Amino acid sequence: MRNKGFVMKRSASKQKSKLRIGVLYGGRSGEHDVSLCSAASVVAALDKKKYDVIAIGIDRDGRWYVQDRPEIIPDKAFGKILSLKKRGRWLVNHFEQQNKLHIYNLEAKGEEVLVDLVFPVLHGTFGEDGTLQGLLELAMVPYVGVDVTGAAIGMDKDVAKRLLAGAGIPVVPWMTISRAEWRSLPQKILRRAQNQLALPLFVKPLCTGSSVGIKKVKTNKELAPAIDYAFQFDTRVMIETGIDCREIECAVLGNELPEASVLGEILPRHEFYSYEAKYLDPEGALMKIPAEIPAKLAATIRACAVAGFRALNCNSMARVDFFLDKKTSAFYLNEVNTLPGFTSISMYPKLWAATGLPYGRLLDKLIVLAILRHREKLSIKTD
């Protein structure tokens, strides 16, 4: 027998049932805590008159737990987070009924969750790298955010840069190394970095976000320890020329016809826009929206943001980050972040609010885009 608290009630009247949204958060990632914070904002802002909201937390070991009564709680580091309570043993069944996600509690016989649309707020590995998206595609469940290709490419900084450069979009000089190369030829790699790239350098794990694992290198002596540190978070590492720059961000939204928001500028009070500056220090950075940039240059950067979005085969949403050289005003596309932060202070929702699309309506728009894309994919012949 099904638990009535979980199954969507269908009235005999003509009134349509609310869409059941499953907010997926947490995850096996170094950005697990950031996800709890983003999820709290999403759950709080989803219109309960339109949606029946269920939160599905994934713990650090990859186990799924349904939160039938999502609870937002205070947190010392992040202000507010969505609680992740571990109750029951849940089985995710993607194939019982097309276009719905089914989750069963094996410890409470008959307790079942049916989800009409998934809203992933899973930052980093196993959340925005295409793996989750592939799972939902197999289940034929509509979901918010970029699909498999855009997620996988956007997460891989090296592949993304290659595609962007191939599309004629300016990127900062870089080199990429594997853990095996670093173990076998460390001195050769150090010499190559010193010969090909100019100090200062940034050393980054290839497939993380939120500035996890990043070090700024000012001297050659600092390079090897920074590489060792970055390899704690990934099996490949990028070494990139540091630019004396302003950090400019643009939000892109849409499927076939994406649009760009006004530009914003990050003014970090730390040496760079680190994880601490983004999430742990409330005074770590200032956001200036709109950015003070000449109109013609701003229009060019916005057009480049859309071009970069398309070059990586993205849809739904992405935050596109740029470096603007302080001396020359040359700009470089730094990263296309396909699952940007959704906290109350995150740049992506703030940019759209400044463009005329407030947080709640932005969530509505993302849900509509997910449904439209899902319908398009269902129309493709597979036999």
Side-chain angles (χ1 to χ4, degrees), residues 166-325:
I169 295 170
V171 295
V172 172
W174 84 99
M175 59 180 281
T176 298
I177 60 174
S178 70
R179 184 179 285 164
E181 290 172 322
W182 177 239
R183 285 172 176 167
S184 60
L185 299 167
Q187 293 306 316
K188 183 178 179 180
I189 288 169
L190 292 174
R191 286 194 300 271
R192 181 179 158 210
Q194 291 161 12
N195 291 334
Q196 294 183 7
L197 305 172
L199 291 170
L201 300 171
F202 280 95
V203 180
K204 308 175 179 181
L206 207 65
C207 294
T208 62
S210 297
S211 299
V212 171
I214 294 181
K215 292 285 188 182
K216 184 176 182 179
V217 172
K218 297 179 182 178
T219 67
N220 290 331
K221 288 184 178 180
E222 297 172 344
L223 182 54
I227 293 173
D228 286 333
Y229 178 71
F231 272 125
Q232 294 181 40
F233 301 94
D234 205 340
T235 58
R236 290 179 298 156
V237 162
M238 174 178 287
I239 306 170
E240 190 177 63
T241 297
I243 305 291
D244 184 19
C245 65
R246 297 166 64 186
E247 297 194 35
I248 307 299
E249 299 189 347
C250 181
V252 179
L253 178 69
N255 289 339
E256 288 82 7
L257 299 172
E259 298 180 64
S261 72
V262 299
L263 301 182
E265 181 173 5
I266 299 291
L267 300 169
R269 290 177 169 171
H270 294 220
E271 189 165 14
F272 67 97
Y273 199 30
S274 63
Y275 183 93
E276 290 75 18
K278 288 178 179 179
Y279 303 112
L280 301 181
D281 181 358
E283 305 297 327
L286 295 176
M287 296 181 186
K288 185 177 287 187
I289 306 175
E292 293 181 2
I293 295 175
K296 186 175 180 180
L297 178 58
T300 302
I301 293 174
R302 292 175 71 230
C304 187
V306 172
F309 184 85
R310 285 179 163 150
L312 302 193
N313 198 39
C314 292
N315 46 47
S316 183
M317 65 172 167
R319 193 194 69 236
V320 185
D321 302 343
F322 292 89
F323 295 146
L324 181 60
D325 193 298

Side-chain angles (χ1 to χ4, degrees), residues 347-369:
M347 188 61 119
Y348 188 86
K350 281 185 171 292
L351 286 170
W352 278 117
T355 309
L357 190 64
Y359 196 109
R361 283 175 50 205
L362 172 62
L363 300 183
D364 291 341
K365 177 70 172 177
L366 288 167
I367 289 167
V368 169
L369 288 170

Side-chain angles (χ1 to χ4, degrees), residues 24-41 57-61 72-84 86 121-125 128 209-210 212 233 275-276 278-280 341-344 346:
L24 202 57
Y25 70 107
R28 296 171 55 207
S29 164
E31 299 168 74
H32 178 98
D33 294 327
V34 180
S35 176
L36 303 188
C37 186
S38 286
S41 296
I58 302 178
D59 71 9
R60 296 179 188 274
D61 294 323
I72 297 171
I73 60 175
D75 181 81
K76 290 182 179 179
F78 293 93
K80 292 182 180 180
I81 62 171
L82 191 63
S83 173
L84 202 169
K86 300 181 180 182
V121 195
L122 288 161
H123 304 302
T125 312
E128 58 178 303
S210 297
V212 171
F233 301 94
Y275 183 93
E276 290 75 18
K278 288 178 179 179
Y279 303 112
L280 301 181
F342 265 88
T343 70
S344 59
S346 293

Side-chain angles (χ1 to χ4, degrees), residues 116-166:
D116 297 304
L117 181 142
V118 174
F119 198 127
V121 195
L122 288 161
H123 304 302
T125 312
F126 307 118
E128 58 178 303
D129 58 1
T131 51
L132 172 70
Q133 290 76 12
L135 183 71
L136 296 173
E137 291 282 353
L138 282 172
M140 290 186 285
V141 176
Y143 60 93
V144 166
V146 299
D147 59 14
V148 178
T149 307
I153 294 171
M155 191 71 174
D156 191 308
K157 297 179 179 69
D158 183 69
V159 173
K161 276 184 179 284
R162 293 173 192 268
L163 287 173
L164 292 169

